[in-house]
Amino acid sequence: QVQLVESGGGSAQGGGSLRLSCAASGNPFSMYCMGWFRQAPGKEREWVALIDSAGSPVYADSVSGRSTISRDNAKNTLSLQMSSLIPEDSAMYYCAATYPKYGVSMYCPRSPADFTYWGQGTQVTVSS
C-alpha cells in the first residue's frame, strides 16, 4: 500500500517554471514505477513523465525538453521540474505509482489504467 501526496502546483506565467513534488509513504518505494500524469477539463488523463526503479526517465513528447522527473528513493519522494511553461500545460497533475510490468524485459507502463496508486492531485495554471 502506498499513499501519495503532491505539492508545488500553482499559477505561473507562460515561459515560467514550476516544481512539483510527491511524498510517498509505504514500502517498497524504490521498486515502483513512478509517474506524473495530468488531466485538463474535458480531456482524458495523460502521462507526462515516468521514471523506473533505476532512475531512468521517459517523457511525453508534449513536455520533452522542458521537464525533468527525478526520484529520491532514500526520501521516498518524486519530483517534476517544468520550465518554459505554456498555457497548454494547465491541468491537474497527479503523482502515481505501480509495480513494473514484465515482458521481454521489465518496463514501466504508460497507461493511467495500469497505475495502482494515485495522489489527490495538484493544480497547475499557466497564463499567457
Side-chain angles (χ1 to χ4, degrees), residues 11 21 37 57 61 66 77 79 94 100 103 128:
S11 298
S21 298
F37 293 78
D61 290 344
R66 303 189 293 118
T77 58
S79 297
Y94 297 91
S128 57

Side-chain angles (χ1 to χ4, degrees), residues 28-104:
F29 176 82
S30 63
M31 294 180 61
Y32 288 116
C33 290
M34 299 297 300
W36 287 99
F37 293 78
R38 68 186 182 187
Q39 188 168 18
K43 295 188 177 181
E44 293 187 353
R45 190 169 298 189
E46 62 178 3
W47 75 282
V48 174
L50 305 172
I51 188 166
D52 66 13
S53 58
S56 296
V58 180
Y59 300 96
D61 290 344
S62 57
V63 302
S64 182
R66 303 189 293 118
S67 299
T68 301
I69 187 172
S70 60
R71 66 190 297 165
D72 186 332
N73 289 337
K75 296 181 179 180
N76 282 16
T77 58
L78 177 75
S79 297
L80 182 69
Q81 178 71 44
M82 302 181 66
S83 59
S84 301
L85 290 166
I86 58 177
E88 289 76 14
D89 292 324
S90 298
M92 186 70 79
Y93 282 71
Y94 297 91
C95 169
T98 195
Y99 283 105
K101 289 185 173 292
Y102 294 87
V104 176

